[in-house]
Amino acid sequence: MSNPSCTFENFVVGKSNRLAQAASLAVAEMPGKAYNPLFIWSGAGLGKTHLMQAIARHVLEREPRLKVFYLAAERFVNEFVQALADERSAQFRERFRSADILLIDDIQFLAGKRGSQEEFFHTFNALLDSNKQVVLSADRAPSELENFYDRLSERFSGGLVVDIQSPDENMRVEILKKKAGLLECDLPEDVIHFLVRSIPSSIRELQGAVNRLVATSEVLDEPITIERASDWLKNGLRIHTGLLSVEDVNAAVAEDFRISSMALSSPNGEGGLAQARQIAMYLCRELTDASFRQIARSFNLKNHVRVIRAVKRISKQIAEVPELAATVKRVKDRLGR
């Protein structure tokens, strides 16, 4: 738990995260009795890691003798692989199955790692059978996790699944005010609104912007203004103004499908890649001011006919295929739209 500010007191609650916060607090107050397992999912930078760490801190403050393990799924995999190499599988197993509360962040990292999934499945079941609390986070709902054993993703849904949506503008303002207060910085109101308008997609990016502004202000001994904020942030953070660009959309789609932006622009994609391209074309048309022809050029197409077909196809399927609608919504959340 590397960030001491990740507490329930410092978590700004709004419509987009109220259920996730309430469920997390209930788990922290009554581990093993309320919502077990608890599965929190959202796009990047919306607060799920904050809630995970807040749960761990709250429990340890109330019951310091409890064994609380909080770690990223990547670390779980690395430690498991190392334990196999060192012939310490039994010690690894005993360590994690002795936990009173196990919190694993970014569980999607286990995708495709069959050995780690098998080990985690048995650890997960052992803890639940002993009424020990398990809390998981991911960038998507359990039903949308790819390259997971069905029995594992189904078990993730056996308790309570909650999501965190992108916060509205008023909530982002409150988050920045809270952050400025923690830094004991008098951040001007107009600068706060400038940041909120310019960085719509990620709370983490917003907070990082405030950190950068405060540090730069102290080093240069200059007050923070909109003009200085724009100048100080231009090389360190991506500032969004007005409509998104085609590049913004493609980057978000590529991240969601775990492919490269270069692969997304290849005209020869098949299967899941073809669907990713169609979703990207659809969102480019909806969220940017690019024309069909401009979008076609960005995807290395000779004409814009395929873009028109993709937009029509995705528009129709959104109303008919819940999984596709969820994917489109998830990408929009990444983009703050």
Side-chain angles (χ1 to χ4, degrees):
M1 295 180 289
S2 59
N3 191 342
S5 68
C6 289
T7 65
F8 285 114
E9 291 75 18
N10 292 334
F11 190 79
V12 178
V13 182
K15 182 178 179 181
S16 64
N17 61 19
R18 192 179 307 279
L19 178 58
Q21 187 273 346
S24 298
L25 183 57
V27 163
E29 293 281 352
M30 298 183 295
K33 299 180 176 63
Y35 314 130
N36 199 16
L38 175 64
F39 191 103
I40 307 170
W41 67 277
S42 75
L46 296 182
K48 56 184 183 292
T49 294
H50 186 133
L51 286 177
M52 297 275 282
Q53 294 194 19
I55 292 171
R57 282 197 169 83
H58 191 85
V59 170
L60 287 173
E61 287 173 1
R62 289 166 53 88
E63 298 287 346
R65 290 176 295 179
L66 292 181
K67 287 186 178 180
V68 179
F69 294 161
Y70 165 81
L71 68 160
E74 181 177 10
R75 180 179 162 191
F76 180 90
V77 172
N78 292 340
E79 291 192 14
F80 174 63
V81 171
Q82 190 62 51
L84 289 177
D86 297 341
E87 299 183 350
R88 293 185 295 102
S89 299
Q91 293 95 316
F92 176 90
R93 189 171 298 120
E94 181 180 353
R95 175 191 171 204
F96 283 102
R97 296 184 192 182
S98 69
D100 293 300
I101 304 176
L102 177 62
L103 304 101
I104 303 289
D105 216 348
D106 290 324
I107 197 68
Q108 74 275 356
F109 188 81
L110 266 62
K113 299 174 175 65
R114 296 303 188 184
S116 297
Q117 286 186 37
E118 186 73 25
E119 179 64 29
F120 185 73
F121 176 75
H122 293 297
T123 296
F124 181 92
N125 286 337
L127 291 175
L128 263 61
D129 289 345
S130 301
N131 294 319
K132 305 302 184 181
Q133 181 70 49
V134 178
V135 184
L136 308 170
S137 80
D139 64 354
R140 60 197 66 199
S143 61
E144 296 174 14
L145 291 170
E146 300 173 353
N147 297 317
F148 268 73
Y149 287 126
D150 289 342
R151 59 179 180 169
L152 188 55
S153 56
E154 288 170 1
R155 290 284 281 171
F156 292 165
S157 302
L160 178 65
V161 178
V162 294
D163 67 322
I164 302 175
Q165 301 295 325
S166 296
D168 60 23
E169 184 170 324
N170 290 335
M171 185 175 169
R172 294 201 300 275
V173 167
E174 291 305 312
I175 290 171
L176 283 198
K177 288 181 177 179
K178 172 76 76 172
K179 178 66 175 180
L182 291 173
L183 295 174
E184 298 181 349
C185 166
D186 185 19
L187 198 62
E189 191 83 14
D190 59 345
V191 172
I192 289 176
H193 286 278
F194 164 74
L195 293 174
V196 165
R197 290 192 305 271
S198 301
I199 309 173
S201 58
S202 171
I203 298 304
R204 189 179 298 134
E205 273 193 277
L206 273 174
Q207 294 177 329
V210 175
N211 287 336
R212 186 179 178 89
L213 290 179
V214 172
T216 306
S217 174
E218 291 176 350
V219 168
L220 299 180
D221 194 23
E222 295 179 353
I224 300 172
T225 65
I226 289 180
E227 292 75 17
R228 291 191 178 110
S230 180
D231 181 57
W232 293 345
L233 296 176
K234 65 182 179 182
N235 295 322
L237 293 167
R238 183 176 60 180
I239 300 295
H240 302 287
T241 56
L243 289 170
L244 296 167
S245 68
V246 169
E247 290 74 18
D248 289 331
V249 173
N250 289 350
V253 173
E255 181 180 359
D256 192 79
F257 278 82
R258 298 193 183 96
I259 58 178
S260 69
S261 296
M262 185 177 296
L264 191 63
S265 63
S266 170
N268 299 317
E270 297 179 356
L273 183 56
Q275 185 181 66
R277 283 168 55 79
Q278 291 172 358
I279 289 173
M281 293 176 192
Y282 166 82
L283 290 174
C284 283
R285 184 58 180 168
E286 180 181 350
L287 301 178
T288 80
D289 58 358
S291 67
F292 283 120
R293 294 184 187 277
Q294 290 171 325
I295 295 171
R297 284 197 293 272
S298 73
F299 285 90
N300 297 312
L301 298 175
K302 294 181 179 179
N303 59 61
H304 62 286
V305 174
R306 284 176 63 180
V307 178
I308 294 174
R309 288 175 180 168
V311 171
K312 288 182 178 179
R313 178 185 178 87
I314 298 300
S315 297
K316 182 174 184 292
Q317 289 188 338
I318 283 176
E320 300 173 349
V321 184
E323 293 81 4
L324 185 139
T327 298
V328 171
K329 182 179 183 299
R330 193 169 60 240
V331 175
K332 282 186 173 182
D333 286 344
R334 290 181 185 275
L335 292 164
R337 295 298 190 267

Short mmCIF file of all heavy atoms in Angstrom, two decimals, residues 78-92:
data_model
loop_
_atom_site.label_atom_id
_atom_site.label_comp_id
_atom_site.label_asym_id
_atom_site.label_seq_id
_atom_site.Cartn_x
_atom_site.Cartn_y
_atom_site.Cartn_z
N ASN A 78 4.27 -13.31 -10.53
CA ASN A 78 5.73 -13.37 -10.41
C ASN A 78 6.17 -14.20 -9.21
O ASN A 78 7.13 -14.98 -9.29
CB ASN A 78 6.30 -11.96 -10.33
CG ASN A 78 6.16 -11.18 -11.62
OD1 ASN A 78 5.97 -11.77 -12.70
ND2 ASN A 78 6.22 -9.86 -11.54
N GLU A 79 5.48 -14.03 -8.09
CA GLU A 79 5.85 -14.78 -6.90
C GLU A 79 5.53 -16.27 -7.07
O GLU A 79 6.27 -17.13 -6.58
CB GLU A 79 5.12 -14.22 -5.67
CG GLU A 79 5.62 -12.83 -5.26
CD GLU A 79 5.12 -12.41 -3.91
OE1 GLU A 79 4.60 -13.27 -3.16
OE2 GLU A 79 5.24 -11.21 -3.58
N PHE A 80 4.45 -16.56 -7.77
CA PHE A 80 4.09 -17.95 -8.02
C PHE A 80 5.14 -18.62 -8.90
O PHE A 80 5.60 -19.74 -8.62
CB PHE A 80 2.72 -18.03 -8.67
CG PHE A 80 2.32 -19.42 -9.09
CD1 PHE A 80 2.17 -20.43 -8.16
CD2 PHE A 80 2.10 -19.71 -10.44
CE1 PHE A 80 1.81 -21.72 -8.55
CE2 PHE A 80 1.74 -20.98 -10.84
CZ PHE A 80 1.59 -21.99 -9.90
N VAL A 81 5.54 -17.94 -9.96
CA VAL A 81 6.55 -18.49 -10.87
C VAL A 81 7.87 -18.70 -10.13
O VAL A 81 8.54 -19.73 -10.30
CB VAL A 81 6.74 -17.56 -12.09
CG1 VAL A 81 7.95 -18.00 -12.93
CG2 VAL A 81 5.49 -17.53 -12.95
N GLN A 82 8.24 -17.74 -9.29
CA GLN A 82 9.48 -17.87 -8.53
C GLN A 82 9.40 -19.02 -7.53
O GLN A 82 10.38 -19.75 -7.32
CB GLN A 82 9.79 -16.55 -7.80
CG GLN A 82 11.18 -16.50 -7.18
CD GLN A 82 12.29 -16.61 -8.21
OE1 GLN A 82 12.28 -15.88 -9.20
NE2 GLN A 82 13.23 -17.53 -7.99
N ALA A 83 8.23 -19.18 -6.93
CA ALA A 83 8.05 -20.28 -5.97
C ALA A 83 8.20 -21.63 -6.66
O ALA A 83 8.78 -22.57 -6.11
CB ALA A 83 6.69 -20.17 -5.31
N LEU A 84 7.68 -21.76 -7.87
CA LEU A 84 7.84 -23.00 -8.63
C LEU A 84 9.30 -23.26 -8.93
O LEU A 84 9.80 -24.39 -8.78
CB LEU A 84 7.04 -22.92 -9.95
CG LEU A 84 5.52 -22.96 -9.85
CD1 LEU A 84 4.91 -22.80 -11.24
CD2 LEU A 84 5.05 -24.26 -9.21
N ALA A 85 10.00 -22.19 -9.35
CA ALA A 85 11.42 -22.34 -9.69
C ALA A 85 12.24 -22.74 -8.47
O ALA A 85 13.21 -23.50 -8.59
CB ALA A 85 11.95 -21.04 -10.29
N ASP A 86 11.87 -22.24 -7.29
CA ASP A 86 12.62 -22.52 -6.07
C ASP A 86 12.09 -23.72 -5.30
O ASP A 86 12.54 -23.99 -4.19
CB ASP A 86 12.58 -21.29 -5.14
CG ASP A 86 13.26 -20.07 -5.76
OD1 ASP A 86 14.06 -20.26 -6.70
OD2 ASP A 86 12.99 -18.95 -5.31
N GLU A 87 11.08 -24.41 -5.90
CA GLU A 87 10.45 -25.55 -5.26
C GLU A 87 9.89 -25.18 -3.88
O GLU A 87 10.05 -25.88 -2.89
CB GLU A 87 11.44 -26.72 -5.14
CG GLU A 87 11.93 -27.23 -6.50
CD GLU A 87 12.85 -28.43 -6.38
OE1 GLU A 87 13.26 -28.75 -5.24
OE2 GLU A 87 13.16 -29.05 -7.41
N ARG A 88 9.22 -24.04 -3.85
CA ARG A 88 8.59 -23.55 -2.62
C ARG A 88 7.09 -23.39 -2.80
O ARG A 88 6.47 -22.51 -2.21
CB ARG A 88 9.20 -22.21 -2.21
CG ARG A 88 10.65 -22.26 -1.77
CD ARG A 88 11.13 -20.90 -1.25
NE ARG A 88 11.14 -19.89 -2.32
CZ ARG A 88 10.22 -18.96 -2.49
NH1 ARG A 88 9.18 -18.90 -1.67
NH2 ARG A 88 10.31 -18.08 -3.48
N SER A 89 6.48 -24.24 -3.61
CA SER A 89 5.05 -24.11 -3.90
C SER A 89 4.21 -24.24 -2.64
O SER A 89 3.21 -23.53 -2.46
CB SER A 89 4.63 -25.17 -4.92
OG SER A 89 5.32 -25.02 -6.13
N ALA A 90 4.61 -25.15 -1.75
CA ALA A 90 3.83 -25.36 -0.53
C ALA A 90 3.84 -24.12 0.35
O ALA A 90 2.79 -23.73 0.90
CB ALA A 90 4.38 -26.56 0.24
N GLN A 91 5.00 -23.48 0.48
CA GLN A 91 5.08 -22.26 1.28
C GLN A 91 4.27 -21.13 0.66
O GLN A 91 3.60 -20.37 1.36
CB GLN A 91 6.54 -21.82 1.42
CG GLN A 91 7.39 -22.78 2.24
CD GLN A 91 8.12 -23.78 1.35
OE1 GLN A 91 7.55 -24.33 0.41
NE2 GLN A 91 9.40 -24.01 1.65
N PHE A 92 4.33 -21.01 -0.66
CA PHE A 92 3.54 -19.99 -1.37
C PHE A 92 2.06 -20.21 -1.10
O PHE A 92 1.32 -19.27 -0.77
CB PHE A 92 3.84 -20.07 -2.87
CG PHE A 92 3.01 -19.14 -3.71
CD1 PHE A 92 3.46 -17.85 -3.99
CD2 PHE A 92 1.79 -19.55 -4.23
CE1 PHE A 92 2.69 -16.99 -4.77
CE2 PHE A 92 1.02 -18.69 -5.01
CZ PHE A 92 1.47 -17.42 -5.28
#
